Amino acid sequence: MWANQDWQGSLYPRQAKTDLLSDYAAVFSSVEGNTTFYSGAPKPDTIAAWARQAPAHFRFCFKLPSRVTHEQRLSQLEDAWAFLSALAPLHDRLGPTMVQLPRDFGPAELPKLEALLAQWPTHLPCAVEVRHPVFFHKGEGEKALNRLLITYGANRVMLDVRPVFSAPANGHAGLAHAQQEKPKLPLHVLSTAEQPIIRFIGHIDKTINTRYFSPWIDRLALWISQGKTPFLFVHTADNRESPDMARHLYRTLQQHITLPALEPFADEKQSQLF
């Protein structure tokens, strides 16, 4: 989410207020909402406040709660619909809601996923992130998954963990934690719908991230030329450098594609006043 105090003095002013969404949305146009995965839908007054603060072009990409995906394994869909209903004040600013499935959610449970996608509200985009190894073997299981996503217009989340696993942690605690936490899965680049999502899990070394991002440039350019709206979410080992890395990769992409300029970070704006 955007409420990261480590970004004070860069993306946010050094003396940042509690509410940081406005400063975040002044620079970036979307956010990956991880907290809903752990805690479910925020309180109604919180959602109403976000609706007031987020500009019309901004897109929230929340995760379906783990209660729905991991505890219930998509067996009680009324909880999924209750979550989407709670987000109603933000429906005009929702990017794809992400359905992150458990690592052992395999082909045998695809009927559960189909039941979810078949009833998913057509006016709300959806994206699915799988982690079972079978879905990365290019066999019948993966073909069945991709056919399902294409049929229902759901995006397949592309998790690019190559950068974070490209070099040993060498004592860096944040990098070691990321390497332990993230699934080491192959990258399959495939857009199954109109809003492909890339989750780019970066290294602490900017040159490594730049190298692994380079092949994405042509793919992003292709999707944009096709009228698609790709979402790129950038993580670094402890996320302290994520805003800087996101801006660096965006500017790299700008060298190849016509994109609007990003606004300066809030702390940079303050510095310009003195």
Coordinates of all heavy atoms in Angstrom, one line a residue, residues 12-86:
Y12 N 7.4 11.1 0.0 CA 6.6 11.9 0.9 C 7.5 13.0 1.5 O 8.7 12.8 1.6 CB 6.0 11.1 2.0 CG 5.1 9.9 1.4 CD1 5.1 8.7 2.0 CD2 4.2 10.2 0.4 CE1 4.4 7.7 1.5 CE2 3.4 9.2 -0.1 CZ 3.5 7.9 0.4 OH 2.7 6.9 0.0
P13 N 6.9 14.1 2.0 CA 7.7 15.1 2.7 C 8.3 14.5 4.0 O 7.9 13.4 4.5 CB 6.6 16.1 3.1 CG 5.5 15.9 2.2 CD 5.5 14.4 1.9
R14 N 9.4 15.1 4.4 CA 10.1 14.6 5.6 C 9.2 14.6 6.8 O 9.2 13.7 7.7 CB 11.3 15.4 5.9 CG 12.4 15.3 4.8 CD 13.7 16.0 5.1 NE 14.5 16.0 4.0 CZ 15.3 15.0 3.7 NH1 15.3 13.9 4.4 NH2 16.1 15.0 2.6
Q15 N 8.3 15.6 6.9 CA 7.3 15.6 8.0 C 6.0 15.3 7.4 O 5.1 16.1 7.4 CB 7.3 17.0 8.7 CG 8.7 17.4 9.2 CD 9.2 16.5 10.3 OE1 8.4 16.0 11.1 NE2 10.5 16.3 10.4
A16 N 5.8 14.1 7.0 CA 4.6 13.7 6.3 C 3.4 13.6 7.2 O 3.6 13.2 8.4 CB 4.8 12.3 5.5
K17 N 2.3 13.8 6.7 CA 1.0 13.7 7.4 C 0.7 12.2 7.5 O 1.2 11.3 6.8 CB -0.1 14.4 6.8 CG 0.1 15.9 6.7 CD -1.0 16.6 5.9 CE -1.0 16.2 4.5 NZ -2.0 16.9 3.7
T18 N -0.3 11.9 8.3 CA -0.8 10.5 8.4 C -1.3 10.0 7.1 O -1.1 8.9 6.7 CB -1.8 10.3 9.6 OG1 -1.2 10.8 10.8 CG2 -2.2 8.9 9.7
D19 N -2.1 10.9 6.5 CA -2.8 10.5 5.2 C -1.7 10.8 4.1 O -1.3 11.9 3.8 CB -4.0 11.4 5.0 CG -4.5 11.3 3.6 OD1 -4.4 10.2 3.0 OD2 -5.1 12.3 3.1
L20 N -1.4 9.7 3.4 CA -0.3 9.8 2.4 C -0.8 9.6 1.0 O -0.1 9.7 0.0 CB 0.8 8.8 2.7 CG 1.4 8.9 4.1 CD1 2.4 7.8 4.4 CD2 2.2 10.3 4.3
L21 N -2.1 9.2 0.9 CA -2.6 8.8 -0.5 C -2.5 9.9 -1.5 O -2.2 9.7 -2.6 CB -4.1 8.3 -0.3 CG -4.8 8.0 -1.6 CD1 -4.0 6.9 -2.4 CD2 -6.2 7.5 -1.3
S22 N -2.8 11.2 -1.0 CA -2.8 12.3 -2.0 C -1.4 12.5 -2.6 O -1.2 12.7 -3.8 CB -3.2 13.6 -1.3 OG -4.6 13.4 -0.9
D23 N -0.3 12.4 -1.7 CA 1.0 12.5 -2.2 C 1.4 11.4 -3.2 O 2.1 11.6 -4.2 CB 2.0 12.6 -1.1 CG 2.0 13.9 -0.4 OD1 1.7 14.9 -1.0 OD2 2.2 14.0 0.8
Y24 N 0.9 10.2 -2.8 CA 1.2 9.0 -3.7 C 0.6 9.2 -5.0 O 1.2 9.0 -6.1 CB 0.7 7.7 -3.0 CG 1.0 6.5 -3.7 CD1 2.1 5.6 -3.4 CD2 0.2 6.1 -4.8 CE1 2.3 4.5 -4.2 CE2 0.4 4.9 -5.5 CZ 1.5 4.1 -5.2 OH 1.8 3.0 -5.9
A25 N -0.7 9.5 -5.0 CA -1.5 9.6 -6.3 C -1.1 10.8 -7.1 O -1.4 10.9 -8.3 CB -3.0 9.7 -5.9
A26 N -0.3 11.8 -6.5 CA 0.2 12.9 -7.3 C 1.3 12.5 -8.2 O 1.6 13.1 -9.2 CB 0.7 14.0 -6.4
V27 N 1.9 11.3 -7.9 CA 3.0 10.8 -8.8 C 2.6 9.6 -9.5 O 2.7 9.5 -10.8 CB 4.2 10.5 -7.9 CG1 5.4 9.9 -8.7 CG2 4.7 11.7 -7.1
F28 N 2.1 8.6 -8.8 CA 1.8 7.3 -9.5 C 0.3 7.1 -9.7 O -0.5 7.7 -9.0 CB 2.3 6.1 -8.6 CG 3.8 6.2 -8.4 CD1 4.4 6.4 -7.2 CD2 4.6 6.0 -9.5 CE1 5.7 6.4 -7.0 CE2 6.0 6.0 -9.3 CZ 6.6 6.2 -8.1
S29 N -0.1 6.4 -10.7 CA -1.5 6.3 -11.1 C -2.2 5.0 -10.6 O -3.4 4.9 -10.9 CB -1.5 6.3 -12.7 OG -0.8 5.2 -13.2
S30 N -1.5 4.1 -10.0 CA -2.1 2.9 -9.4 C -1.3 2.4 -8.2 O -0.2 2.8 -8.0 CB -2.2 1.8 -10.5 OG -0.9 1.4 -10.9
V31 N -2.0 1.6 -7.5 CA -1.4 1.0 -6.3 C -1.8 -0.4 -6.1 O -3.0 -0.8 -6.4 CB -1.7 1.8 -5.0 CG1 -3.2 1.7 -4.6 CG2 -0.8 1.4 -3.8
E32 N -0.9 -1.3 -5.7 CA -1.2 -2.7 -5.3 C -1.6 -2.7 -3.9 O -0.8 -2.4 -3.0 CB 0.0 -3.6 -5.6 CG -0.2 -5.0 -5.3 CD 1.0 -5.8 -5.4 OE1 1.8 -5.5 -6.4 OE2 1.3 -6.7 -4.6
G33 N -2.9 -3.1 -3.6 CA -3.4 -3.1 -2.3 C -3.2 -4.5 -1.6 O -4.1 -5.3 -1.6
N34 N -2.1 -4.7 -0.9 CA -1.8 -5.9 -0.3 C -2.5 -6.1 1.0 O -2.8 -7.3 1.4 CB -0.3 -6.1 0.0 CG 0.4 -6.7 -1.1 OD1 -0.1 -7.6 -1.9 ND2 1.7 -6.4 -1.3
T35 N -2.9 -5.1 1.7 CA -3.4 -5.2 3.1 C -4.7 -5.9 3.1 O -5.0 -6.6 4.1 CB -3.5 -3.8 3.8 OG1 -4.3 -3.0 3.0 CG2 -2.1 -3.2 3.9
T36 N -5.5 -5.8 2.0 CA -6.8 -6.4 2.0 C -6.7 -8.0 2.0 O -7.6 -8.7 2.4 CB -7.7 -6.0 0.8 OG1 -6.9 -6.2 -0.4 CG2 -8.0 -4.5 0.9
F37 N -5.5 -8.5 1.5 CA -5.3 -9.9 1.5 C -5.2 -10.4 2.9 O -5.7 -11.5 3.2 CB -4.0 -10.2 0.8 CG -3.6 -11.6 0.7 CD1 -4.2 -12.5 -0.2 CD2 -2.6 -12.2 1.5 CE1 -3.9 -13.8 -0.3 CE2 -2.3 -13.5 1.5 CZ -2.9 -14.3 0.6
Y38 N -4.7 -9.6 3.8 CA -4.5 -10.1 5.2 C -5.7 -9.7 6.1 O -6.0 -10.4 7.0 CB -3.2 -9.5 5.8 CG -2.0 -9.9 5.0 CD1 -1.4 -9.0 4.1 CD2 -1.5 -11.2 5.1 CE1 -0.3 -9.4 3.3 CE2 -0.3 -11.6 4.3 CZ 0.2 -10.7 3.5 OH 1.3 -11.1 2.7
S39 N -6.3 -8.5 5.9 CA -7.2 -8.0 6.8 C -8.6 -7.8 6.2 O -9.5 -7.3 6.9 CB -6.7 -6.7 7.4 OG -6.5 -5.7 6.3
G40 N -8.8 -8.1 5.0 CA -10.2 -8.0 4.4 C -10.5 -6.5 4.0 O -9.6 -5.7 4.0
A41 N -11.7 -6.2 3.8 CA -12.2 -4.9 3.4 C -11.9 -3.9 4.5 O -12.2 -4.2 5.7 CB -13.6 -4.9 3.0
P42 N -11.4 -2.7 4.2 CA -11.3 -1.6 5.2 C -12.7 -1.2 5.7 O -13.7 -1.5 5.1 CB -10.6 -0.5 4.4 CG -10.0 -1.2 3.2 CD -10.9 -2.3 2.9
K43 N -12.6 -0.4 6.7 CA -13.9 0.2 7.3 C -14.5 1.1 6.3 O -13.8 1.8 5.5 CB -13.6 0.9 8.6 CG -13.1 0.0 9.7 CD -12.8 0.8 11.0 CE -12.3 -0.1 12.1 NZ -12.0 0.7 13.3
P44 N -15.8 1.2 6.3 CA -16.6 2.1 5.3 C -16.1 3.5 5.3 O -15.9 4.1 4.3 CB -18.0 2.0 5.8 CG -18.1 0.7 6.5 CD -16.8 0.5 7.2
D45 N -15.7 4.1 6.5 CA -15.3 5.5 6.5 C -13.9 5.6 5.9 O -13.6 6.6 5.3 CB -15.3 6.1 7.9 CG -14.4 5.3 8.9 OD1 -14.1 4.1 8.6 OD2 -14.1 5.8 10.0
T46 N -13.1 4.6 6.0 CA -11.8 4.6 5.3 C -11.9 4.5 3.8 O -11.3 5.3 3.1 CB -10.9 3.4 5.8 OG1 -10.7 3.4 7.2 CG2 -9.6 3.3 5.1
I47 N -12.8 3.7 3.3 CA -13.0 3.6 1.9 C -13.6 4.9 1.4 O -13.2 5.4 0.3 CB -14.0 2.4 1.6 CG1 -13.3 1.1 1.9 CG2 -14.4 2.4 0.1 CD1 -14.2 -0.1 1.8
A48 N -14.5 5.5 2.1 CA -15.1 6.8 1.7 C -14.0 7.9 1.6 O -14.0 8.7 0.7 CB -16.2 7.2 2.7
A49 N -13.1 7.8 2.6 CA -12.0 8.8 2.5 C -11.1 8.6 1.3 O -10.7 9.6 0.7 CB -11.2 8.7 3.8
W50 N -10.8 7.4 1.0 CA -10.0 7.1 -0.2 C -10.7 7.6 -1.5 O -10.1 8.1 -2.4 CB -9.7 5.6 -0.3 CG -8.8 5.1 0.8 CD1 -8.1 5.8 1.7 CD2 -8.6 3.7 1.1 NE1 -7.4 4.9 2.5 CE2 -7.7 3.7 2.2 CE3 -9.0 2.5 0.5 CZ2 -7.2 2.5 2.7 CZ3 -8.6 1.3 1.1 CH2 -7.7 1.3 2.2
A51 N -12.0 7.4 -1.5 CA -12.8 7.8 -2.6 C -12.7 9.3 -2.8 O -12.7 9.8 -4.0 CB -14.2 7.4 -2.5
R52 N -12.6 10.0 -1.7 CA -12.5 11.5 -1.8 C -11.1 11.9 -2.2 O -11.0 12.9 -2.9 CB -12.9 12.2 -0.5 CG -14.3 12.0 -0.1 CD -14.6 12.9 1.1 NE -13.8 12.6 2.3 CZ -14.1 11.8 3.3 NH1 -15.3 11.1 3.2 NH2 -13.3 11.6 4.3
Q53 N -10.1 11.2 -1.8 CA -8.7 11.6 -2.0 C -8.2 11.2 -3.3 O -7.3 11.9 -3.9 CB -7.9 11.1 -0.9 CG -8.2 11.6 0.5 CD -7.7 10.7 1.6 OE1 -6.9 9.8 1.4 NE2 -8.3 10.8 2.8
A54 N -8.6 10.1 -3.9 CA -8.0 9.6 -5.1 C -8.6 10.3 -6.3 O -9.8 10.4 -6.5 CB -8.3 8.1 -5.2
P55 N -7.7 10.8 -7.2 CA -8.2 11.4 -8.4 C -8.9 10.4 -9.4 O -8.8 9.2 -9.2 CB -6.9 12.0 -9.1 CG -5.8 11.2 -8.5 CD -6.3 10.8 -7.1
A56 N -9.7 11.0 -10.3 CA -10.5 10.1 -11.2 C -9.7 9.1 -12.0 O -10.2 8.0 -12.2 CB -11.3 11.0 -12.1
H57 N -8.5 9.4 -12.3 CA -7.7 8.5 -13.2 C -7.0 7.4 -12.4 O -6.4 6.5 -12.9 CB -6.6 9.3 -13.9 CG -5.5 9.8 -13.0 ND1 -5.6 11.0 -12.3 CD2 -4.3 9.3 -12.7 CE1 -4.5 11.2 -11.6 NE2 -3.7 10.2 -11.8
F58 N -7.0 7.6 -11.0 CA -6.2 6.6 -10.2 C -6.9 5.3 -10.1 O -8.1 5.2 -10.1 CB -6.1 7.2 -8.8 CG -5.1 6.5 -7.9 CD1 -3.7 6.8 -8.0 CD2 -5.5 5.6 -7.0 CE1 -2.8 6.1 -7.2 CE2 -4.6 4.9 -6.1 CZ -3.2 5.2 -6.3
R59 N -6.1 4.2 -10.0 CA -6.7 2.9 -9.9 C -6.1 2.1 -8.8 O -4.9 2.0 -8.6 CB -6.4 2.1 -11.2 CG -7.1 2.7 -12.5 CD -8.6 2.5 -12.4 NE -9.3 3.1 -13.5 CZ -9.8 4.3 -13.5 NH1 -9.7 5.1 -12.4 NH2 -10.5 4.8 -14.5
F60 N -7.0 1.6 -7.9 CA -6.7 0.7 -6.8 C -6.7 -0.8 -7.3 O -7.7 -1.2 -7.9 CB -7.6 0.8 -5.7 CG -7.6 2.2 -5.0 CD1 -8.5 3.2 -5.5 CD2 -6.8 2.5 -3.9 CE1 -8.5 4.5 -4.9 CE2 -6.9 3.7 -3.3 CZ -7.7 4.7 -3.8
C61 N -5.7 -1.5 -7.1 CA -5.7 -3.0 -7.4 C -5.6 -3.8 -6.1 O -4.5 -4.1 -5.7 CB -4.6 -3.3 -8.4 SG -4.7 -2.5 -10.0
F62 N -6.7 -4.0 -5.5 CA -6.7 -4.7 -4.2 C -6.6 -6.2 -4.4 O -6.9 -6.7 -5.5 CB -8.0 -4.4 -3.4 CG -8.1 -3.0 -3.0 CD1 -9.1 -2.1 -3.6 CD2 -7.3 -2.4 -2.1 CE1 -9.3 -0.8 -3.2 CE2 -7.5 -1.1 -1.7 CZ -8.4 -0.3 -2.3
K63 N -6.2 -6.9 -3.4 CA -6.2 -8.4 -3.4 C -7.4 -8.9 -2.7 O -7.8 -8.4 -1.6 CB -4.9 -8.9 -2.7 CG -3.7 -8.8 -3.6 CD -2.5 -9.6 -3.0 CE -1.3 -9.5 -3.8 NZ -0.2 -10.2 -3.2
L64 N -8.0 -9.9 -3.3 CA -9.1 -10.6 -2.6 C -8.6 -11.2 -1.3 O -7.4 -11.7 -1.2 CB -9.6 -11.8 -3.5 CG -11.1 -12.2 -3.3 CD1 -12.0 -11.1 -3.7 CD2 -11.3 -13.4 -4.2
P65 N -9.3 -11.1 -0.2 CA -8.8 -11.5 1.1 C -8.4 -13.0 1.1 O -9.0 -13.9 0.4 CB -10.0 -11.3 2.0 CG -10.8 -10.2 1.4 CD -10.7 -10.5 -0.1
S66 N -7.4 -13.3 1.9 CA -6.9 -14.7 2.0 C -8.0 -15.6 2.6 O -7.9 -16.8 2.4 CB -5.6 -14.8 2.8 OG -5.8 -14.3 4.1
R67 N -8.9 -15.0 3.3 CA -10.0 -15.8 3.9 C -10.7 -16.5 2.8 O -11.1 -17.7 2.9 CB -10.9 -14.9 4.7 CG -12.2 -15.6 5.2 CD -13.1 -14.6 6.0 NE -14.4 -15.2 6.2 CZ -14.7 -16.0 7.2 NH1 -13.7 -16.4 8.0 NH2 -15.9 -16.5 7.3
V68 N -10.9 -15.8 1.6 CA -11.6 -16.3 0.5 C -10.8 -17.3 -0.3 O -11.2 -18.4 -0.7 CB -12.1 -15.2 -0.4 CG1 -12.8 -15.7 -1.6 CG2 -13.1 -14.3 0.4
T69 N -9.5 -16.9 -0.6 CA -8.7 -17.7 -1.5 C -8.0 -18.8 -0.8 O -7.8 -19.9 -1.4 CB -7.6 -16.8 -2.1 OG1 -6.9 -16.1 -1.1 CG2 -8.3 -15.7 -3.0
H70 N -7.5 -18.6 0.4 CA -6.7 -19.6 1.1 C -7.4 -20.4 2.2 O -7.3 -21.7 2.2 CB -5.4 -19.0 1.7 CG -4.4 -18.5 0.7 ND1 -4.7 -17.6 -0.3 CD2 -3.1 -18.8 0.6 CE1 -3.6 -17.4 -1.0 NE2 -2.6 -18.1 -0.5
E71 N -8.2 -19.8 3.0 CA -8.9 -20.5 4.0 C -10.1 -21.3 3.5 O -10.3 -22.5 3.7 CB -9.3 -19.6 5.1 CG -8.2 -18.9 5.9 CD -8.7 -17.9 6.9 OE1 -9.8 -18.0 7.4 OE2 -7.9 -17.0 7.3
Q72 N -10.9 -20.6 2.7 CA -12.1 -21.2 2.1 C -11.8 -21.8 0.7 O -12.6 -22.6 0.2 CB -13.2 -20.2 1.9 CG -13.6 -19.5 3.3 CD -14.5 -18.3 3.1 OE1 -14.8 -17.9 2.0 NE2 -15.0 -17.8 4.2
R73 N -10.7 -21.5 0.1 CA -10.3 -22.0 -1.2 C -11.4 -21.9 -2.2 O -11.7 -22.8 -3.0 CB -9.8 -23.5 -1.1 CG -8.7 -23.7 -0.1 CD -8.2 -25.1 -0.1 NE -7.5 -25.5 -1.3 CZ -6.1 -25.4 -1.4 NH1 -5.4 -24.9 -0.4 NH2 -5.6 -25.8 -2.5
L74 N -12.0 -20.7 -2.3 CA -13.0 -20.3 -3.2 C -14.3 -21.1 -3.1 O -15.1 -21.3 -4.0 CB -12.5 -20.4 -4.7 CG -11.3 -19.6 -5.0 CD1 -11.0 -19.7 -6.5 CD2 -11.4 -18.1 -4.6
S75 N -14.5 -21.7 -1.9 CA -15.7 -22.5 -1.7 C -16.9 -21.7 -1.1 O -18.0 -22.3 -1.1 CB -15.4 -23.6 -0.7 OG -15.1 -23.1 0.6
Q76 N -16.7 -20.5 -0.7 CA -17.8 -19.7 -0.1 C -17.7 -18.3 -0.8 O -17.2 -17.3 -0.3 CB -17.7 -19.6 1.4 CG -17.7 -20.9 2.1 CD -17.6 -20.8 3.6 OE1 -18.2 -19.8 4.2 NE2 -16.9 -21.7 4.2
L77 N -18.3 -18.2 -2.0 CA -18.1 -17.0 -2.8 C -18.9 -15.8 -2.3 O -18.6 -14.7 -2.7 CB -18.5 -17.3 -4.3 CG -17.7 -18.4 -5.0 CD1 -18.1 -18.5 -6.4 CD2 -16.2 -18.0 -4.9
E78 N -19.8 -16.0 -1.4 CA -20.6 -14.9 -0.8 C -19.6 -13.9 -0.1 O -19.9 -12.7 -0.1 CB -21.7 -15.3 0.1 CG -21.2 -16.2 1.3 CD -21.1 -17.6 1.0 OE1 -21.2 -18.0 -0.1 OE2 -21.0 -18.4 2.0
D79 N -18.5 -14.4 0.4 CA -17.6 -13.6 1.1 C -16.8 -12.7 0.0 O -16.4 -11.6 0.3 CB -16.6 -14.4 1.9 CG -17.2 -14.9 3.2 OD1 -18.3 -14.4 3.6 OD2 -16.6 -15.8 3.8
A80 N -16.6 -13.3 -1.2 CA -15.9 -12.5 -2.2 C -16.8 -11.4 -2.7 O -16.4 -10.2 -2.9 CB -15.6 -13.4 -3.4
W81 N -18.1 -11.7 -2.8 CA -19.1 -10.6 -3.3 C -19.3 -9.6 -2.2 O -19.4 -8.4 -2.5 CB -20.4 -11.2 -3.7 CG -20.3 -12.5 -4.5 CD1 -21.1 -13.6 -4.5 CD2 -19.4 -12.7 -5.6 NE1 -20.7 -14.5 -5.4 CE2 -19.6 -14.0 -6.1 CE3 -18.3 -11.9 -6.2 CZ2 -18.9 -14.5 -7.2 CZ3 -17.6 -12.5 -7.2 CH2 -17.9 -13.7 -7.7
A82 N -19.2 -10.0 -0.9 CA -19.3 -9.0 0.1 C -18.1 -8.0 0.1 O -18.2 -6.8 0.4 CB -19.4 -9.7 1.5
F83 N -16.9 -8.6 -0.2 CA -15.7 -7.8 -0.3 C -15.9 -6.7 -1.4 O -15.6 -5.5 -1.2 CB -14.5 -8.7 -0.5 CG -13.2 -7.9 -0.8 CD1 -12.6 -7.3 0.3 CD2 -12.7 -7.8 -2.0 CE1 -11.4 -6.6 0.0 CE2 -11.5 -7.2 -2.3 CZ -10.9 -6.5 -1.3
L84 N -16.3 -7.2 -2.6 CA -16.4 -6.3 -3.7 C -17.5 -5.2 -3.4 O -17.4 -4.1 -3.8 CB -16.7 -7.1 -5.0 CG -15.6 -8.0 -5.5 CD1 -16.1 -8.7 -6.7 CD2 -14.4 -7.2 -5.8
S85 N -18.6 -5.6 -2.8 CA -19.6 -4.7 -2.4 C -19.2 -3.6 -1.5 O -19.5 -2.5 -1.6 CB -20.8 -5.5 -1.8 OG -21.8 -4.6 -1.4
A86 N -18.3 -4.0 -0.5 CA -17.8 -3.0 0.4 C -16.9 -1.9 -0.3 O -16.8 -0.8 0.2 CB -16.9 -3.7 1.5

